[in-house]
Amino acid sequence: MNDILPGEIETWQFLEVEARRIFGTYGFSEIRVPLVEKTELFCRSIGETTDIVEKEMYTFNDKSDNSLTLRPEGTAPVIRSFIQNKLHTKDPVAKLYYMGPMFRYERPQKGRYRQFHQIGAEVIGIEDPKIDAQVLTMLAHYFDAVGIKDVELQLNSLGCPECRPAYREALIGFLEARLNALCDDCRRRYRTNPLRVLDCKVPGCKEATIEAPSVLDHLCVGCDEHFNKVQGYLRNVGTPFTINARMVRGLDYYTKTTFEMVTNSLGSQNAVAAGGRYDGLIKDLGGPPLPGIGFAMGVERLVLMKGQGCVEPNRPDLFLAALGDEAACYAFGLMSSLQRRGLHAEMEYEGKSLKAQLRRADKLQARRVLIIGGDELARREAQLRTMESSSQETISLNGIEEFLLAGLTPAP
Ligand code: HAM
């Protein structure tokens, strides 16, 4: 779990502001849900045999002995809220986005933390493959807009309750014949969660499953048609993608389209964003039988890719340096008034030497410095130094506020 400090936070804020801006143009509204939910919600949605539910949840009993869990992801809480607040009665389509911390007790490493942050989006109520293509295009648009390159959008389809069971059986049959080549973990879970074996990083398991049956060869007519249409719409709007038939997801609620935005630049944590369709989840959680699709991006991974410190820190527009008590008092008044009027102004509060004050201005990377001396104050004059051009001029203190503010906002 990490602190996010000044100097780092600017990149986070940039990523958040861009998400709000871009998701807004696609018609999404923000939703904020609690960090804590009933444990049962995650067991029922993510799945009892997933790593998240089996090993990674921060679960505790509250004083009334309810089992609660710090949310390991955002989809289940958003759907819980959608159902509980009967949002479908107000609008048959919900386009929602969220951002905030998630918690998983995983082994920490680069790009993988126990408290991490997601920016996610969910669309509820649209079955048509156009929305799959729209969500994926929005995701690709976001990566373009924030300047993160070197990512690839990989697509797969995991079928539906109609065609998945036959695929599962085919896969279990294939794995059964190769049990000796699989690792202990996969031997244990190949019956309960055979798809996870395709995702195992152990070289022996990778090799043993090279020829495993492909989910895409087992799709029913409806799923196959849906998947083809998604690809058609993506081509239509020019959103690049590749197919990865071995992509499985670590959560059980997915149906049909699944996807990951992957990169080679983060070592083994290669998914910067991931998601898919979950057409059965809303009904399974006690809501109306509505389809859903969404994704979540890992903000720490976005920050690692973007590079910390890539966004300029908050630099003062003006630093006021004053010589003597009277000038310091005047500078303090001027600074306060300018701050109220929207100018980022700073001063050295403790009346140090001019040299120390200028050092402070330098450290804060102030754009301009106003030097006010005692004699000059009597003449209603001061020196304005512009750091970029290293120029200095004498200016009148009469009308100084307007002068400084005008310098800030160029005329349209
Ligand atoms: P997920 O694949 O578990 O999906 O997580 C989505 C993204 O969150 C990952 O691709 C990764 O970037 C980031 N992430 C996950 N775990 C960690 C971690 N321990 N440390 C840092 N980053 C992490 C979901 O959570 C689904 N709710 C996505 C979704 C939304 N599906 C449909 N709608």
PDB file of all heavy atoms in Angstrom, residues 325-358:
ATOM      1  N   ASP A 325      10.287  44.853   7.628  1.00  0.00           N
ATOM      2  CA  ASP A 325       8.959  44.499   8.146  1.00  0.00           C
ATOM      3  C   ASP A 325       7.828  45.150   7.368  1.00  0.00           C
ATOM      4  O   ASP A 325       6.814  44.530   7.081  1.00  0.00           O
ATOM      5  CB  ASP A 325       8.835  44.930   9.619  1.00  0.00           C
ATOM      6  CG  ASP A 325       9.643  43.999  10.497  1.00  0.00           C
ATOM      7  OD1 ASP A 325      10.073  42.939   9.968  1.00  0.00           O
ATOM      8  OD2 ASP A 325       9.853  44.319  11.678  1.00  0.00           O
ATOM      9  N   GLU A 326       8.039  46.433   7.066  1.00  0.00           N
ATOM     10  CA  GLU A 326       6.959  47.168   6.414  1.00  0.00           C
ATOM     11  C   GLU A 326       6.668  46.575   5.025  1.00  0.00           C
ATOM     12  O   GLU A 326       5.522  46.346   4.664  1.00  0.00           O
ATOM     13  CB  GLU A 326       7.371  48.635   6.277  1.00  0.00           C
ATOM     14  CG  GLU A 326       6.190  49.576   6.230  1.00  0.00           C
ATOM     15  CD  GLU A 326       6.657  51.018   6.040  1.00  0.00           C
ATOM     16  OE1 GLU A 326       7.759  51.360   6.543  1.00  0.00           O
ATOM     17  OE2 GLU A 326       5.941  51.769   5.360  1.00  0.00           O
ATOM     18  N   ALA A 327       7.747  46.283   4.292  1.00  0.00           N
ATOM     19  CA  ALA A 327       7.594  45.707   2.949  1.00  0.00           C
ATOM     20  C   ALA A 327       6.982  44.308   3.042  1.00  0.00           C
ATOM     21  O   ALA A 327       6.140  43.925   2.225  1.00  0.00           O
ATOM     22  CB  ALA A 327       8.947  45.654   2.247  1.00  0.00           C
ATOM     23  N   ALA A 328       7.383  43.552   4.083  1.00  0.00           N
ATOM     24  CA  ALA A 328       6.852  42.186   4.241  1.00  0.00           C
ATOM     25  C   ALA A 328       5.359  42.251   4.505  1.00  0.00           C
ATOM     26  O   ALA A 328       4.586  41.428   3.997  1.00  0.00           O
ATOM     27  CB  ALA A 328       7.567  41.466   5.382  1.00  0.00           C
ATOM     28  N   CYS A 329       4.958  43.250   5.301  1.00  0.00           N
ATOM     29  CA  CYS A 329       3.543  43.408   5.622  1.00  0.00           C
ATOM     30  C   CYS A 329       2.752  43.755   4.353  1.00  0.00           C
ATOM     31  O   CYS A 329       1.686  43.201   4.078  1.00  0.00           O
ATOM     32  CB  CYS A 329       3.436  44.507   6.670  1.00  0.00           C
ATOM     33  SG  CYS A 329       1.833  44.559   7.404  1.00  0.00           S
ATOM     34  N   TYR A 330       3.331  44.661   3.548  1.00  0.00           N
ATOM     35  CA  TYR A 330       2.693  45.038   2.288  1.00  0.00           C
ATOM     36  C   TYR A 330       2.607  43.819   1.358  1.00  0.00           C
ATOM     37  O   TYR A 330       1.573  43.533   0.760  1.00  0.00           O
ATOM     38  CB  TYR A 330       3.499  46.162   1.616  1.00  0.00           C
ATOM     39  CG  TYR A 330       2.983  46.471   0.224  1.00  0.00           C
ATOM     40  CD1 TYR A 330       1.894  47.321   0.046  1.00  0.00           C
ATOM     41  CD2 TYR A 330       3.576  45.894  -0.904  1.00  0.00           C
ATOM     42  CE1 TYR A 330       1.399  47.578  -1.230  1.00  0.00           C
ATOM     43  CE2 TYR A 330       3.087  46.138  -2.173  1.00  0.00           C
ATOM     44  CZ  TYR A 330       2.001  46.988  -2.337  1.00  0.00           C
ATOM     45  OH  TYR A 330       1.501  47.239  -3.586  1.00  0.00           O
ATOM     46  N   ALA A 331       3.717  43.064   1.282  1.00  0.00           N
ATOM     47  CA  ALA A 331       3.775  41.886   0.388  1.00  0.00           C
ATOM     48  C   ALA A 331       2.737  40.853   0.800  1.00  0.00           C
ATOM     49  O   ALA A 331       2.071  40.250  -0.045  1.00  0.00           O
ATOM     50  CB  ALA A 331       5.177  41.268   0.432  1.00  0.00           C
ATOM     51  N   PHE A 332       2.586  40.711   2.121  1.00  0.00           N
ATOM     52  CA  PHE A 332       1.610  39.727   2.615  1.00  0.00           C
ATOM     53  C   PHE A 332       0.190  40.099   2.170  1.00  0.00           C
ATOM     54  O   PHE A 332      -0.585  39.263   1.709  1.00  0.00           O
ATOM     55  CB  PHE A 332       1.697  39.627   4.140  1.00  0.00           C
ATOM     56  CG  PHE A 332       0.728  38.637   4.713  1.00  0.00           C
ATOM     57  CD1 PHE A 332       0.891  37.270   4.493  1.00  0.00           C
ATOM     58  CD2 PHE A 332      -0.383  39.060   5.445  1.00  0.00           C
ATOM     59  CE1 PHE A 332      -0.015  36.355   5.001  1.00  0.00           C
ATOM     60  CE2 PHE A 332      -1.289  38.146   5.951  1.00  0.00           C
ATOM     61  CZ  PHE A 332      -1.105  36.796   5.732  1.00  0.00           C
ATOM     62  N   GLY A 333      -0.137  41.380   2.283  1.00  0.00           N
ATOM     63  CA  GLY A 333      -1.459  41.865   1.870  1.00  0.00           C
ATOM     64  C   GLY A 333      -1.673  41.671   0.375  1.00  0.00           C
ATOM     65  O   GLY A 333      -2.721  41.198  -0.064  1.00  0.00           O
ATOM     66  N   LEU A 334      -0.641  42.022  -0.403  1.00  0.00           N
ATOM     67  CA  LEU A 334      -0.735  41.899  -1.864  1.00  0.00           C
ATOM     68  C   LEU A 334      -0.891  40.426  -2.264  1.00  0.00           C
ATOM     69  O   LEU A 334      -1.722  40.069  -3.100  1.00  0.00           O
ATOM     70  CB  LEU A 334       0.528  42.506  -2.498  1.00  0.00           C
ATOM     71  CG  LEU A 334       0.620  42.443  -4.026  1.00  0.00           C
ATOM     72  CD1 LEU A 334      -0.573  43.132  -4.680  1.00  0.00           C
ATOM     73  CD2 LEU A 334       1.933  43.104  -4.505  1.00  0.00           C
ATOM     74  N   MET A 335      -0.089  39.570  -1.601  1.00  0.00           N
ATOM     75  CA  MET A 335      -0.148  38.132  -1.917  1.00  0.00           C
ATOM     76  C   MET A 335      -1.557  37.588  -1.648  1.00  0.00           C
ATOM     77  O   MET A 335      -2.137  36.897  -2.497  1.00  0.00           O
ATOM     78  CB  MET A 335       0.868  37.357  -1.078  1.00  0.00           C
ATOM     79  CG  MET A 335       0.794  35.848  -1.272  1.00  0.00           C
ATOM     80  SD  MET A 335       1.961  34.955  -0.237  1.00  0.00           S
ATOM     81  CE  MET A 335       1.150  35.069   1.354  1.00  0.00           C
ATOM     82  N   SER A 336      -2.111  37.943  -0.482  1.00  0.00           N
ATOM     83  CA  SER A 336      -3.431  37.412  -0.110  1.00  0.00           C
ATOM     84  C   SER A 336      -4.483  37.864  -1.114  1.00  0.00           C
ATOM     85  O   SER A 336      -5.354  37.086  -1.522  1.00  0.00           O
ATOM     86  CB  SER A 336      -3.833  37.884   1.281  1.00  0.00           C
ATOM     87  OG  SER A 336      -2.839  37.495   2.187  1.00  0.00           O
ATOM     88  N   SER A 337      -4.399  39.128  -1.523  1.00  0.00           N
ATOM     89  CA  SER A 337      -5.382  39.653  -2.453  1.00  0.00           C
ATOM     90  C   SER A 337      -5.254  38.960  -3.817  1.00  0.00           C
ATOM     91  O   SER A 337      -6.248  38.596  -4.439  1.00  0.00           O
ATOM     92  CB  SER A 337      -5.166  41.160  -2.579  1.00  0.00           C
ATOM     93  OG  SER A 337      -6.070  41.674  -3.497  1.00  0.00           O
ATOM     94  N   LEU A 338      -4.013  38.753  -4.270  1.00  0.00           N
ATOM     95  CA  LEU A 338      -3.801  38.087  -5.563  1.00  0.00           C
ATOM     96  C   LEU A 338      -4.296  36.635  -5.532  1.00  0.00           C
ATOM     97  O   LEU A 338      -4.879  36.140  -6.487  1.00  0.00           O
ATOM     98  CB  LEU A 338      -2.314  38.121  -5.935  1.00  0.00           C
ATOM     99  CG  LEU A 338      -1.785  39.494  -6.358  1.00  0.00           C
ATOM    100  CD1 LEU A 338      -0.257  39.482  -6.409  1.00  0.00           C
ATOM    101  CD2 LEU A 338      -2.359  39.913  -7.713  1.00  0.00           C
ATOM    102  N   GLN A 339      -4.060  35.973  -4.397  1.00  0.00           N
ATOM    103  CA  GLN A 339      -4.519  34.575  -4.268  1.00  0.00           C
ATOM    104  C   GLN A 339      -6.030  34.506  -4.391  1.00  0.00           C
ATOM    105  O   GLN A 339      -6.573  33.649  -5.073  1.00  0.00           O
ATOM    106  CB  GLN A 339      -4.076  33.989  -2.917  1.00  0.00           C
ATOM    107  CG  GLN A 339      -2.593  33.675  -2.880  1.00  0.00           C
ATOM    108  CD  GLN A 339      -2.071  33.446  -1.468  1.00  0.00           C
ATOM    109  OE1 GLN A 339      -2.622  33.978  -0.499  1.00  0.00           O
ATOM    110  NE2 GLN A 339      -1.001  32.684  -1.361  1.00  0.00           N
ATOM    111  N   ARG A 340      -6.706  35.444  -3.732  1.00  0.00           N
ATOM    112  CA  ARG A 340      -8.171  35.497  -3.820  1.00  0.00           C
ATOM    113  C   ARG A 340      -8.638  35.700  -5.247  1.00  0.00           C
ATOM    114  O   ARG A 340      -9.717  35.270  -5.627  1.00  0.00           O
ATOM    115  CB  ARG A 340      -8.686  36.689  -3.002  1.00  0.00           C
ATOM    116  CG  ARG A 340      -9.155  36.297  -1.655  1.00  0.00           C
ATOM    117  CD  ARG A 340      -9.691  37.523  -0.930  1.00  0.00           C
ATOM    118  NE  ARG A 340     -10.149  37.123   0.375  1.00  0.00           N
ATOM    119  CZ  ARG A 340     -11.342  36.606   0.622  1.00  0.00           C
ATOM    120  NH1 ARG A 340     -12.205  36.479  -0.335  1.00  0.00           N
ATOM    121  NH2 ARG A 340     -11.664  36.227   1.833  1.00  0.00           N
ATOM    122  N   ARG A 341      -7.812  36.401  -6.021  1.00  0.00           N
ATOM    123  CA  ARG A 341      -8.215  36.690  -7.408  1.00  0.00           C
ATOM    124  C   ARG A 341      -7.712  35.623  -8.391  1.00  0.00           C
ATOM    125  O   ARG A 341      -7.784  35.805  -9.591  1.00  0.00           O
ATOM    126  CB  ARG A 341      -7.730  38.090  -7.795  1.00  0.00           C
ATOM    127  CG  ARG A 341      -8.368  39.159  -6.907  1.00  0.00           C
ATOM    128  CD  ARG A 341      -7.932  40.544  -7.249  1.00  0.00           C
ATOM    129  NE  ARG A 341      -8.448  40.983  -8.541  1.00  0.00           N
ATOM    130  CZ  ARG A 341      -8.205  42.191  -9.069  1.00  0.00           C
ATOM    131  NH1 ARG A 341      -7.478  43.070  -8.389  1.00  0.00           N
ATOM    132  NH2 ARG A 341      -8.695  42.504 -10.240  1.00  0.00           N
ATOM    133  N   GLY A 342      -7.173  34.547  -7.854  1.00  0.00           N
ATOM    134  CA  GLY A 342      -6.886  33.390  -8.712  1.00  0.00           C
ATOM    135  C   GLY A 342      -5.439  33.250  -9.150  1.00  0.00           C
ATOM    136  O   GLY A 342      -5.118  32.394  -9.981  1.00  0.00           O
ATOM    137  N   LEU A 343      -4.553  34.084  -8.612  1.00  0.00           N
ATOM    138  CA  LEU A 343      -3.153  33.974  -9.005  1.00  0.00           C
ATOM    139  C   LEU A 343      -2.403  33.135  -7.962  1.00  0.00           C
ATOM    140  O   LEU A 343      -2.575  33.348  -6.760  1.00  0.00           O
ATOM    141  CB  LEU A 343      -2.551  35.383  -9.095  1.00  0.00           C
ATOM    142  CG  LEU A 343      -1.174  35.460  -9.715  1.00  0.00           C
ATOM    143  CD1 LEU A 343      -1.212  36.417 -10.903  1.00  0.00           C
ATOM    144  CD2 LEU A 343      -0.146  35.954  -8.709  1.00  0.00           C
ATOM    145  N   HIS A 344      -1.616  32.194  -8.397  1.00  0.00           N
ATOM    146  CA  HIS A 344      -0.856  31.367  -7.456  1.00  0.00           C
ATOM    147  C   HIS A 344       0.362  32.161  -6.985  1.00  0.00           C
ATOM    148  O   HIS A 344       1.343  32.301  -7.704  1.00  0.00           O
ATOM    149  CB  HIS A 344      -0.451  30.051  -8.130  1.00  0.00           C
ATOM    150  CG  HIS A 344       0.385  29.164  -7.268  1.00  0.00           C
ATOM    151  ND1 HIS A 344       0.894  27.972  -7.697  1.00  0.00           N
ATOM    152  CD2 HIS A 344       0.801  29.290  -5.977  1.00  0.00           C
ATOM    153  CE1 HIS A 344       1.591  27.416  -6.732  1.00  0.00           C
ATOM    154  NE2 HIS A 344       1.554  28.192  -5.678  1.00  0.00           N
ATOM    155  N   ALA A 345       0.256  32.710  -5.781  1.00  0.00           N
ATOM    156  CA  ALA A 345       1.333  33.552  -5.245  1.00  0.00           C
ATOM    157  C   ALA A 345       1.904  32.933  -3.974  1.00  0.00           C
ATOM    158  O   ALA A 345       1.204  32.248  -3.244  1.00  0.00           O
ATOM    159  CB  ALA A 345       0.782  34.946  -4.956  1.00  0.00           C
ATOM    160  N   GLU A 346       3.183  33.184  -3.737  1.00  0.00           N
ATOM    161  CA  GLU A 346       3.891  32.623  -2.582  1.00  0.00           C
ATOM    162  C   GLU A 346       4.827  33.672  -2.025  1.00  0.00           C
ATOM    163  O   GLU A 346       5.220  34.598  -2.741  1.00  0.00           O
ATOM    164  CB  GLU A 346       4.765  31.440  -3.028  1.00  0.00           C
ATOM    165  CG  GLU A 346       4.019  30.158  -3.248  1.00  0.00           C
ATOM    166  CD  GLU A 346       3.851  29.349  -1.970  1.00  0.00           C
ATOM    167  OE1 GLU A 346       4.306  29.818  -0.901  1.00  0.00           O
ATOM    168  OE2 GLU A 346       3.247  28.268  -2.052  1.00  0.00           O
ATOM    169  N   MET A 347       5.207  33.514  -0.754  1.00  0.00           N
ATOM    170  CA  MET A 347       6.289  34.349  -0.223  1.00  0.00           C
ATOM    171  C   MET A 347       7.039  33.560   0.854  1.00  0.00           C
ATOM    172  O   MET A 347       6.612  32.469   1.223  1.00  0.00           O
ATOM    173  CB  MET A 347       5.740  35.663   0.336  1.00  0.00           C
ATOM    174  CG  MET A 347       4.922  35.538   1.605  1.00  0.00           C
ATOM    175  SD  MET A 347       4.259  37.132   2.182  1.00  0.00           S
ATOM    176  CE  MET A 347       5.718  37.938   2.815  1.00  0.00           C
ATOM    177  N   GLU A 348       8.110  34.109   1.299  1.00  0.00           N
ATOM    178  CA  GLU A 348       8.841  33.500   2.407  1.00  0.00           C
ATOM    179  C   GLU A 348       8.282  34.148   3.685  1.00  0.00           C
ATOM    180  O   GLU A 348       8.402  35.341   3.881  1.00  0.00           O
ATOM    181  CB  GLU A 348      10.341  33.792   2.221  1.00  0.00           C
ATOM    182  CG  GLU A 348      11.212  33.524   3.397  1.00  0.00           C
ATOM    183  CD  GLU A 348      11.168  32.072   3.808  1.00  0.00           C
ATOM    184  OE1 GLU A 348      11.595  31.233   3.021  1.00  0.00           O
ATOM    185  OE2 GLU A 348      10.682  31.794   4.917  1.00  0.00           O
ATOM    186  N   TYR A 349       7.639  33.340   4.510  1.00  0.00           N
ATOM    187  CA  TYR A 349       6.877  33.912   5.628  1.00  0.00           C
ATOM    188  C   TYR A 349       7.775  34.419   6.758  1.00  0.00           C
ATOM    189  O   TYR A 349       7.372  35.236   7.552  1.00  0.00           O
ATOM    190  CB  TYR A 349       5.908  32.870   6.193  1.00  0.00           C
ATOM    191  CG  TYR A 349       4.864  32.456   5.181  1.00  0.00           C
ATOM    192  CD1 TYR A 349       5.106  31.412   4.294  1.00  0.00           C
ATOM    193  CD2 TYR A 349       3.653  33.125   5.100  1.00  0.00           C
ATOM    194  CE1 TYR A 349       4.166  31.039   3.350  1.00  0.00           C
ATOM    195  CE2 TYR A 349       2.694  32.759   4.157  1.00  0.00           C
ATOM    196  CZ  TYR A 349       2.965  31.718   3.287  1.00  0.00           C
ATOM    197  OH  TYR A 349       2.030  31.371   2.354  1.00  0.00           O
ATOM    198  N   GLU A 350       9.001  33.885   6.845  1.00  0.00           N
ATOM    199  CA  GLU A 350       9.752  34.115   8.075  1.00  0.00           C
ATOM    200  C   GLU A 350      10.825  35.194   7.959  1.00  0.00           C
ATOM    201  O   GLU A 350      11.794  35.190   8.718  1.00  0.00           O
ATOM    202  CB  GLU A 350      10.362  32.792   8.541  1.00  0.00           C
ATOM    203  CG  GLU A 350       9.272  31.731   8.568  1.00  0.00           C
ATOM    204  CD  GLU A 350       9.392  30.756   9.699  1.00  0.00           C
ATOM    205  OE1 GLU A 350      10.541  30.411  10.029  1.00  0.00           O
ATOM    206  OE2 GLU A 350       8.347  30.353  10.226  1.00  0.00           O
ATOM    207  N   GLY A 351      10.655  36.084   7.020  1.00  0.00           N
ATOM    208  CA  GLY A 351      11.512  37.263   6.936  1.00  0.00           C
ATOM    209  C   GLY A 351      12.994  36.975   6.849  1.00  0.00           C
ATOM    210  O   GLY A 351      13.791  37.494   7.625  1.00  0.00           O
ATOM    211  N   LYS A 352      13.406  36.100   5.945  1.00  0.00           N
ATOM    212  CA  LYS A 352      14.830  35.779   5.824  1.00  0.00           C
ATOM    213  C   LYS A 352      15.521  36.791   4.898  1.00  0.00           C
ATOM    214  O   LYS A 352      14.879  37.704   4.371  1.00  0.00           O
ATOM    215  CB  LYS A 352      14.974  34.363   5.281  1.00  0.00           C
ATOM    216  CG  LYS A 352      14.381  33.350   6.235  1.00  0.00           C
ATOM    217  CD  LYS A 352      14.890  31.964   5.952  1.00  0.00           C
ATOM    218  CE  LYS A 352      14.368  31.007   7.005  1.00  0.00           C
ATOM    219  NZ  LYS A 352      13.871  29.773   6.441  1.00  0.00           N
ATOM    220  N   SER A 353      16.822  36.599   4.682  1.00  0.00           N
ATOM    221  CA  SER A 353      17.568  37.510   3.814  1.00  0.00           C
ATOM    222  C   SER A 353      17.039  37.422   2.383  1.00  0.00           C
ATOM    223  O   SER A 353      16.403  36.434   2.013  1.00  0.00           O
ATOM    224  CB  SER A 353      19.049  37.118   3.809  1.00  0.00           C
ATOM    225  OG  SER A 353      19.183  35.884   3.129  1.00  0.00           O
ATOM    226  N   LEU A 354      17.341  38.447   1.593  1.00  0.00           N
ATOM    227  CA  LEU A 354      16.877  38.451   0.207  1.00  0.00           C
ATOM    228  C   LEU A 354      17.390  37.209  -0.525  1.00  0.00           C
ATOM    229  O   LEU A 354      16.669  36.573  -1.294  1.00  0.00           O
ATOM    230  CB  LEU A 354      17.353  39.731  -0.506  1.00  0.00           C
ATOM    231  CG  LEU A 354      16.903  39.850  -1.956  1.00  0.00           C
ATOM    232  CD1 LEU A 354      15.385  39.891  -2.066  1.00  0.00           C
ATOM    233  CD2 LEU A 354      17.499  41.098  -2.623  1.00  0.00           C
ATOM    234  N   LYS A 355      18.656  36.863  -0.208  1.00  0.00           N
ATOM    235  CA  LYS A 355      19.256  35.711  -0.879  1.00  0.00           C
ATOM    236  C   LYS A 355      18.453  34.427  -0.583  1.00  0.00           C
ATOM    237  O   LYS A 355      18.138  33.645  -1.480  1.00  0.00           O
ATOM    238  CB  LYS A 355      20.694  35.538  -0.378  1.00  0.00           C
ATOM    239  CG  LYS A 355      21.588  34.851  -1.350  1.00  0.00           C
ATOM    240  CD  LYS A 355      23.024  34.992  -0.925  1.00  0.00           C
ATOM    241  CE  LYS A 355      23.814  33.849  -1.524  1.00  0.00           C
ATOM    242  NZ  LYS A 355      25.006  33.544  -0.773  1.00  0.00           N
ATOM    243  N   ALA A 356      18.081  34.273   0.704  1.00  0.00           N
ATOM    244  CA  ALA A 356      17.318  33.077   1.100  1.00  0.00           C
ATOM    245  C   ALA A 356      15.934  33.090   0.452  1.00  0.00           C
ATOM    246  O   ALA A 356      15.419  32.044   0.036  1.00  0.00           O
ATOM    247  CB  ALA A 356      17.188  33.011   2.618  1.00  0.00           C
ATOM    248  N   GLN A 357      15.364  34.273   0.339  1.00  0.00           N
ATOM    249  CA  GLN A 357      14.032  34.366  -0.278  1.00  0.00           C
ATOM    250  C   GLN A 357      14.109  33.981  -1.758  1.00  0.00           C
ATOM    251  O   GLN A 357      13.246  33.274  -2.276  1.00  0.00           O
ATOM    252  CB  GLN A 357      13.469  35.790  -0.136  1.00  0.00           C
ATOM    253  CG  GLN A 357      13.182  36.170   1.318  1.00  0.00           C
ATOM    254  CD  GLN A 357      12.507  37.537   1.409  1.00  0.00           C
ATOM    255  OE1 GLN A 357      11.481  37.756   0.804  1.00  0.00           O
ATOM    256  NE2 GLN A 357      13.103  38.445   2.171  1.00  0.00           N
ATOM    257  N   LEU A 358      15.170  34.442  -2.425  1.00  0.00           N
ATOM    258  CA  LEU A 358      15.305  34.128  -3.854  1.00  0.00           C
ATOM    259  C   LEU A 358      15.577  32.632  -4.062  1.00  0.00           C
ATOM    260  O   LEU A 358      15.138  32.037  -5.044  1.00  0.00           O
ATOM    261  CB  LEU A 358      16.398  34.986  -4.491  1.00  0.00           C
ATOM    262  CG  LEU A 358      16.065  36.488  -4.542  1.00  0.00           C
ATOM    263  CD1 LEU A 358      17.207  37.283  -5.159  1.00  0.00           C
ATOM    264  CD2 LEU A 358      14.764  36.754  -5.302  1.00  0.00           C
TER     265      LEU A 358
END
